[in-house]
């Protein structure tokens, strides 16, 4: 199987992080699990897509090396990352984003960089659902209070991440176009009422844990659109995977 540009770059990053090329390149022609036993929608999609299969190989290689570096941290991290991948079903773009995130999370563990329990870089916040749609955290004030505020900046390094991980071509035009996107320099929330505004100036209300679990709405927590009062269904298209982490960053004591 010929590996995609994105997978090749990601594997190169893992090698640069100190991993053996022989370990990284193992079984590049197949996913990290037995495709003959694939049952879930995400596993079947990975087995049918060469690029996703290559990303899965890189993710497995990253897991093995990260487990050696910090076994205590990797177990809960892997559980969260696999849950996020499973939630994508057969959506190839969602899977690509989730798997690229997982590879980055394992790379951060290997390099000793700060990541939270969900595999997110603690110094970055995602403003959109596509890989690399991130901003850099500058300051955090009033967390878990009615006046929680996180100040952010959309830096060149963030634009490069988007062009590299999603567009798969880092050019001056791509970077300029990404930096031209209008984003707020902060997002805020009231951790008592649950109302919060995202980096994209969208307003939501966090209502707490979903009493039905993920069975009915596809989400662990209930988040509603403040204007329409409609709950986000947990899918990538609904904005849930972007909105919820922003609330969790503002009000970690409420959303856990």
């Amino acid at each position: 199987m010929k590996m995609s540009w994105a997978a090749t770059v990601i594997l190169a990053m893992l090698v640069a992080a100190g991993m053996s090329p022989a370990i990284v390149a193992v079984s590049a022609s197949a996913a990290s699990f037995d495709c003959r036993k694939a049952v879930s929608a995400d596993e079947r999609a990975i087995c049918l897509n060469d690029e996703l299969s290559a990303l899965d190989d890189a993710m497995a290689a990253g897991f093995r090396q990260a487990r050696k570096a910090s076994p205590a941290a990797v177990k809960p991290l892997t559980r969260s990352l696999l849950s996020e991948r499973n939630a994508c079903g057969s959506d190839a773009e969602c899977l690509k984003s989730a798997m690229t995130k997982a590879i980055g999370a394992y790379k951060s563990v290997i390099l000793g960089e700060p990541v939270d329990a969900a595999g997110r870089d603690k110094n970055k916040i995602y403003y959109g659902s596509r890989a690399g749609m991130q901003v850099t955290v500058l300051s955090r004030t009033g967390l878990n209070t009615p006046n929680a505020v996180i100040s952010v900046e959309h830096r060149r390094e963030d634009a490069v991440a988007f062009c590299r991980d999603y567009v798969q071509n880092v050019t001056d035009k791509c970077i300029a176009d990404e930096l031209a996107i209008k984003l707020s320099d902060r997002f805020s929330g009231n951790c008592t009422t649950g109302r919060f505004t995202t980096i994209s100036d969208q307003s939501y209300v966090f209502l707490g844990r979903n009493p039905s679990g993920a069975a009915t709405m596809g989400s662990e927590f209930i988040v509603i659109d403040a204007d329409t009062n409609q709950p986000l269904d947990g899918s990538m298209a609904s904005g849930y995977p972007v909105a919820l982490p922003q609330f969790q960053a503002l009000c970690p004591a409420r959303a856990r």
Side-chain angles (χ1 to χ4, degrees):
M1 178 191 71
K2 183 178 180 180
M3 298 182 68
S4 71
W5 183 91
T8 301
V9 170
I10 292 167
L11 292 181
M13 288 195 303
L14 290 172
V15 171
M19 298 169 61
S20 164
I23 292 174
V24 172
V26 66
S27 188
S29 62
S32 62
F33 50 87
D34 188 343
C35 283
R36 293 171 299 180
K37 299 178 181 179
V39 175
S40 62
D42 61 312
E43 290 180 341
R44 291 195 297 269
I46 290 168
C47 290
L48 294 172
N49 185 301
D50 284 353
E51 181 178 13
L52 294 179
S53 181
L55 286 171
D56 191 64
D57 285 333
M59 188 173 74
F63 164 76
R64 289 192 294 271
Q65 294 302 307
R67 184 172 57 181
K68 292 178 182 178
S70 182
V74 166
K75 186 174 181 179
L77 173 61
T78 297
R79 187 182 304 115
S80 173
L81 293 171
L82 286 178
S83 176
E84 184 172 341
R85 192 193 77 180
N86 294 156
C88 290
S90 60
D91 186 329
E93 282 301 321
C94 179
L95 286 167
K96 178 180 173 182
S97 179
M99 295 163 73
T100 300
K101 171 186 170 183
I103 293 166
Y106 289 137
K107 184 190 72 172
S108 292
V109 171
I110 294 166
L111 297 177
E113 297 170 346
V115 293
D116 64 16
R120 297 182 291 256
D121 184 332
K122 290 183 178 180
N123 297 319
K124 303 292 182 182
I125 295 288
Y126 274 78
Y127 72 83
S129 60
R130 294 173 176 171
M133 282 186 164
Q134 63 186 41
V135 294
T136 299
V137 174
L138 298 180
S139 66
R140 300 175 174 88
T141 60
L143 301 188
N144 294 315
T145 75
N147 297 297
V149 178
I150 296 180
S151 296
V152 298
E153 182 179 24
H154 196 196
R155 294 179 171 174
R156 187 179 190 280
E157 67 190 63
D158 301 319
V160 169
F162 173 76
C163 296
R164 180 193 67 223
D165 297 342
Y166 183 76
V167 180
Q168 301 183 15
N169 189 17
V170 180
T171 64
D172 290 340
K173 183 179 186 307
C174 179
I175 294 171
D177 288 346
E178 176 64 6
L179 290 175
I181 294 175
K182 182 176 175 55
L183 297 171
S184 176
D185 62 359
R186 62 173 55 193
F187 60 104
S188 60
N190 183 324
C191 298
T192 300
T193 64
R195 183 168 184 132
F196 66 105
T197 302
T198 68
I199 299 167
S200 301
D201 288 325
Q202 295 172 297
S203 293
Y204 298 103
V205 180
F206 176 85
L207 298 184
R209 192 170 293 278
N210 185 350
S212 300
T216 57
M217 290 164 48
S219 54
E220 183 180 3
F221 297 98
I222 296 179
V223 178
I224 65 170
D225 186 303
D227 296 322
T228 66
N229 296 329
Q230 292 297 305
L232 307 186
D233 63 15
S235 68
M236 193 69 73
S238 75
Y240 177 90
V242 176
L244 178 63
Q246 291 187 41
F247 181 78
Q248 290 173 319
L250 292 164
C251 311
R254 284 204 61 186
R256 60 185 181 185

